[in-house]
Amino acid sequence: MEKKTNILLIYTGGTIGMVKDYNSGALKAFNFKKLLKNIPELAQLDCHIDSISFDEPIDSSNINTSHWVDIATIIETHYESHDGFVVLHGSDTMSYSASALSYMLENLRKPVIFTGSQLPIGDLRTDAKENLITSIQIAALQERGKSVIQEVGLYFEYKLYRANRTTKINAEHFEAFESLNYPPLVESGVHLKVYKEYLMPKTRARKLVVHKELDSNVAILKLFPGFNELLLKSILETENLKALVLETYGAGNAPTEGWVIENLKLAIKKGLHIVNVTQCSGGSVIMGQYETSEQLKKLQLISGKDITTEAAITKLMYLLGSEVSKGSFKTVFETSLRGEMN
């Protein structure tokens, strides 16, 4: 008889873990120890479920790097005793957290599935039950005694995506997330359809390495018609700033005015890492394709290729925390570490 898989639920906060107090109408945190009582369907899953909650559940708008370290530490502590992990998280910053965890968990050989919901678990029309049940089911998938999913994923509304490829695109629809540059890993219909060709390629088993040093001396600047030199300078001259995600137009284009190029050139000379990422939801940066990006290419800006802004900013925090040398920073960033870029 096969042993049951052990799944650990990690509740950080967010709508999915809320229940409505029908007397007051207010939302309050759910007691995950009573999970089976509230969702009896979980008993039908062929796995054993444990749960851990943050002492103080937090709204995902308040998430910071220390919470990412907390999640990574919980996974590290229970890595040998559990076969898969489901992280319940508010949807607003889920793509950031899930992207960060993908970098922090090196040599991951088990599933870490982020999920949440748009409506609380006790609501009549909630999406929480389906998201939770299917996330646990996916985390428990095994083949020849090994996990089918061996990476950080994000499951929402019938699709499992690679976490560091996702962006929250809708605040109201149940289909809140999209992965425009990479296909889903799993689709949930009558059956669970696993697209094995899109999963992270299996490599030689190595010990899990958990990176807990993140450097948040980073910023994002989204270009817009009419942005001025004062604004650009104030961002580039921010005290202790080490890296900047520059959200450019289209395939990586920016104004060719002298002051734009001169300020960027000076900042790079002083050691600032600047990553060129497109503002478009889908597509890639191809510097040099147009005259308006030729100058950026000459400046040796780091190409974000088809990375999302969420994956770019968290990758910078991870690389800066890992103290990657200045000389190899551009090369390392432009290399896909966890399947975050093509």
Side-chain angles (χ1 to χ4, degrees):
M1 192 176 150
E2 280 188 32
K3 74 172 184 72
K4 279 193 168 188
T5 49
N6 287 323
I7 302 300
L8 183 66
L9 271 188
I10 303 166
Y11 176 57
T12 66
T15 305
I16 194 166
M18 298 291 174
V19 282
K20 194 173 273 180
D21 181 325
Y22 286 100
N23 295 321
S24 66
L27 291 175
K28 57 180 186 179
F30 179 75
N31 180 356
F32 272 86
K33 299 287 178 240
K34 294 178 182 164
L35 196 61
L36 277 173
K37 184 171 152 278
N38 281 270
I39 311 176
E41 297 94 326
L42 289 175
Q44 294 175 46
L45 293 175
D46 197 24
C47 58
H48 175 77
I49 302 164
D50 293 312
S51 65
I52 286 181
S53 289
F54 272 21
D55 295 336
E56 286 288 320
I58 45 171
D59 186 295
S60 75
S61 299
N62 289 321
I63 283 275
N64 60 42
T65 54
S66 70
H67 300 121
W68 296 341
V69 173
D70 290 343
I71 298 167
T73 305
I74 291 169
I75 292 167
E76 181 181 34
T77 306
H78 296 87
Y79 193 71
E80 294 307 323
S81 58
H82 289 78
D83 304 294
F85 304 87
V86 174
V87 183
L88 303 177
H89 191 291
S91 61
D92 286 353
T93 56
M94 196 189 294
S95 287
Y96 290 95
S97 296
S99 295
L101 263 290
S102 76
Y103 302 124
M104 294 166 78
L105 303 171
E106 190 180 351
N107 303 329
L108 187 63
R109 291 289 168 269
K110 296 179 180 183
V112 174
I113 312 294
F114 276 74
T115 195
S117 66
Q118 296 285 60
L119 288 173
I121 220 157
D123 259 34
L124 189 62
R125 294 176 49 256
T126 187
D127 54 331
K129 281 190 181 184
E130 197 283 319
N131 285 348
L132 178 58
I133 290 166
T134 310
S135 292
I136 294 170
Q137 214 173 351
I138 290 170
L141 286 178
Q142 298 252 317
E143 207 171 64
R144 296 192 199 94
K146 289 193 167 65
S147 298
V148 173
I149 309 296
Q150 300 188 4
E151 58 182 285
V152 183
L154 188 155
Y155 181 82
F156 229 85
E157 192 65 5
Y158 308 119
K159 284 178 183 160
L160 178 77
Y161 299 113
R162 176 164 298 152
N164 54 33
R165 292 290 196 147
T166 62
T167 297
K168 186 174 181 185
I169 52 141
N170 203 300
E172 292 181 359
H173 292 180
F174 285 146
E175 216 171 305
F177 289 87
E178 190 54 88
S179 164
L180 287 160
N181 288 333
Y182 202 78
L185 309 178
V186 179
E187 286 196 67
S188 168
V190 175
H191 302 285
L192 282 180
K193 171 88 176 113
V194 181
Y195 298 101
K196 291 188 176 172
E197 64 272 30
Y198 299 132
L199 299 177
M200 285 288 275
K202 307 283 184 279
T203 52
R204 203 161 48 83
R206 291 194 179 98
K207 196 175 180 321
L208 177 76
V209 181
V210 182
H211 300 272
K212 297 180 190 177
E213 293 299 322
L214 297 168
D215 190 330
S216 55
N217 287 299
V218 295
I220 299 169
L221 174 60
K222 183 170 186 158
L223 299 187
F224 57 91
F227 85 99
N228 59 46
E229 186 170 10
L230 203 60
L231 173 67
L232 182 62
K233 270 186 166 172
S234 68
I235 300 281
L236 295 176
E237 290 168 9
T238 301
E239 204 178 340
N240 296 328
L241 186 70
K242 295 175 185 172
L244 175 73
V245 171
L246 190 67
E247 281 198 9
T248 55
Y249 309 127
N253 307 312
T256 51
E257 289 171 81
W259 59 265
V260 176
I261 305 305
E262 281 312 307
N263 281 293
L264 292 177
K265 191 176 182 177
L266 184 64
I268 291 166
K269 200 174 170 186
K270 285 180 179 173
L272 186 71
H273 303 293
I274 303 178
V275 181
N276 187 357
V277 166
T278 174
Q279 303 184 1
C280 300
S281 305
S284 182
V285 159
I286 310 164
M287 281 190 284
Q289 186 178 18
Y290 294 96
E291 193 189 333
T292 44
S293 64
E294 186 61 45
Q295 295 267 41
L296 303 182
K297 191 178 180 180
K298 282 180 185 160
L299 287 181
Q300 289 282 293
L301 245 67
I302 298 166
S303 173
K305 303 178 183 177
D306 62 347
I307 200 169
T308 63
T309 295
E310 293 90 335
I313 199 80
T314 49
K315 188 172 186 175
L316 286 174
M317 291 180 190
Y318 162 67
L319 293 180
L320 291 168
S322 303
E323 295 183 346
V324 171
S325 72
K326 280 211 182 329
S328 60
F329 199 94
K330 177 173 156 71
T331 307
V332 176
F333 192 98
E334 289 179 354
T335 305
S336 179
L337 303 177
R338 310 282 189 267
E340 73 281 358
M341 50 165 63
N342 283 338

